[in-house]
Amino acid sequence: MKRLFGSEISNFAFYFRDYIAQKYQVPLEVREEQTKYGIMLAVYVAEDCPLLNQIEQERDEFLRRPFDAMYQQASWETGKIEQADENKVRWKFPRFSQWKQQKFTVFLTALCLIIYLFQLLGFNQDILLATHYPESYAEQSELWRYFTHSLVHLSPWHITFNLVWWWIFAGKIEQKFGTATLVLLYLLSAFISGFAQNMASGPAFFGLSGVVYAVLGYVLVLDKFSRQHPFHLPQGFFTMLLVGIAFGFVSPLIGVSMGNTAHITGLLTGAVLARVKILFAKPQKTI
């Protein structure tokens, strides 16, 4: 059997299998595999399949736009979506083994939630005073301040937006490239975006959004400019980033202030680090 591709998003394997079955009447096999990156489903085809070249071309097209409605429609029409060991597929809740591969993602998420909880319990002012970006000469030697501003949030929507994107994409980065890569990305983006935002508006800013934009920039560049396309981002992802940044500039009109400078510098930091990885790092296994 020849392996066509693998994905941690189990639906993708079945969408492609059913699409090929409907279009070419060729059966594909879906297998569950354990890799160093976690559990995934892989799609296989017989090596002597006479339509192998066409199926490989279909595979390449599918990986460029896996969210296209025609692939989902094929699965709905066949009515045969199933998991490797069950009769139907569902989005899997991460297994403990996968969580262990996202140690820093989990740690930072929990830390932000704990800090926000203490803010709600009446310690908000104390936390803001202890964690803001250095303002005075004396505070410049308090090195934690160059990073702790990223751990504090000012409203429920603020922390929800940041942690959802952090959880999804930082977790994928950590799974695929390791904890050290994510820690480096966090430290550099928190420091650089904080420095830039302080130059633009002073030290009164908080939140993980500069780091989140770095994470988004990192996955965007790797997915679009690496030969392996490790994240299979949907079409329109870059447009979403531009809309998010543009909204930051018009949000004061509705009474919401955002750290636009931190967002832009964070995005650029992540993009540059991803580009450096493409140029100098060993290629990762495509999954």
Side-chain angles (χ1 to χ4, degrees):
M1 300 291 286
K2 180 178 177 61
R3 190 179 191 275
L4 294 172
F5 72 92
S7 175
E8 293 169 336
I9 303 177
S10 56
N11 292 50
F12 285 0
F14 295 104
Y15 287 164
F16 185 72
R17 181 203 64 181
D18 291 339
Y19 172 76
I20 294 300
Q22 183 184 74
K23 184 172 182 178
Y24 296 101
Q25 290 75 52
V26 173
L28 302 183
E29 182 178 340
V30 176
R31 302 177 186 175
E32 189 175 71
E33 296 181 346
Q34 174 70 55
T35 74
K36 63 180 180 180
Y37 304 113
I39 300 292
M40 68 172 60
L41 292 185
V43 181
Y44 287 81
V45 63
E47 292 187 359
D48 59 353
C49 176
L51 299 177
L52 180 59
N53 289 336
Q54 293 95 313
I55 291 173
E56 288 180 331
Q57 292 174 5
E58 292 281 3
R59 181 268 317 279
D60 295 340
E61 180 64 21
F62 172 76
L63 293 178
R64 280 193 288 269
R65 50 192 185 98
F67 294 100
D68 193 296
M70 70 178 181
Y71 299 115
Q72 299 180 39
Q73 184 64 33
S75 285
W76 294 336
E77 290 178 358
T78 60
K80 296 190 298 184
I81 296 180
E82 59 181 16
Q83 284 185 338
D85 58 351
E86 297 180 7
N87 291 325
K88 60 182 179 180
V89 68
R90 61 178 180 272
W91 293 90
K92 295 182 179 180
F93 190 78
R95 300 188 181 190
F96 181 70
S97 61
Q98 292 174 283
W99 283 42
K100 290 192 297 183
Q101 297 171 354
Q102 300 177 203
K103 295 184 290 291
F104 187 68
T105 304
V106 174
F107 168 76
L108 201 71
T109 301
L111 183 58
C112 289
L113 290 171
I114 291 170
I115 290 173
Y116 190 65
L117 176 61
F118 275 98
Q119 290 177 255
L120 297 178
L121 292 176
F123 298 95
N124 185 60
Q125 191 64 21
D126 294 332
I127 290 174
L128 296 183
L129 290 174
T131 60
H132 69 74
Y133 194 88
E135 181 176 16
S136 65
Y137 178 78
E139 290 175 346
Q140 291 179 7
S141 61
E142 298 173 346
L143 299 182
W144 69 84
R145 292 184 179 275
Y146 294 97
F147 308 98
T148 52
H149 61 84
S150 68
L151 305 176
V152 179
H153 294 84
L154 304 178
S155 68
W157 71 263
H158 190 202
I159 191 170
T160 299
F161 175 86
N162 283 337
L163 291 189
V164 166
W165 289 113
W166 167 262
W167 181 265
I168 294 172
F169 291 102
K172 292 299 182 185
I173 292 172
E174 190 171 9
Q175 278 188 346
K176 295 177 183 297
F177 304 117
T179 299
T181 295
L182 184 60
V183 171
L184 177 63
L185 178 59
Y186 166 75
L187 292 175
L188 287 177
S189 60
F191 179 82
I192 294 172
S193 65
F195 177 83
Q197 188 63 48
N198 180 63
M199 295 293 291
S201 65
F205 60 89
F206 295 94
L208 195 64
S209 55
V211 175
V212 166
Y213 271 93
V215 166
L216 297 178
Y218 191 86
V219 300
L220 174 68
V221 170
L222 276 176
D223 204 68
K224 299 304 180 184
F225 299 102
S226 169
R227 293 180 179 180
Q228 296 150 317
H229 307 293
F231 298 102
H232 304 309
L233 297 178
Q235 290 182 337
F237 186 84
F238 180 64
T239 302
M240 179 201 70
L241 293 183
L242 294 181
V243 170
I245 290 175
F247 178 73
F249 287 96
V250 300
S251 61
L253 299 177
I254 58 174
V256 178
S257 296
M258 295 185 178
N260 300 315
T261 303
H263 295 173
I264 294 171
T265 53
L267 182 66
L268 292 175
T269 299
V272 169
L273 288 175
R275 185 59 181 167
V276 169
K277 183 172 185 64
I278 292 172
L279 291 175
F280 298 105
K282 293 180 180 180
Q284 300 290 323
K285 183 178 180 181
T286 303
I287 62 175

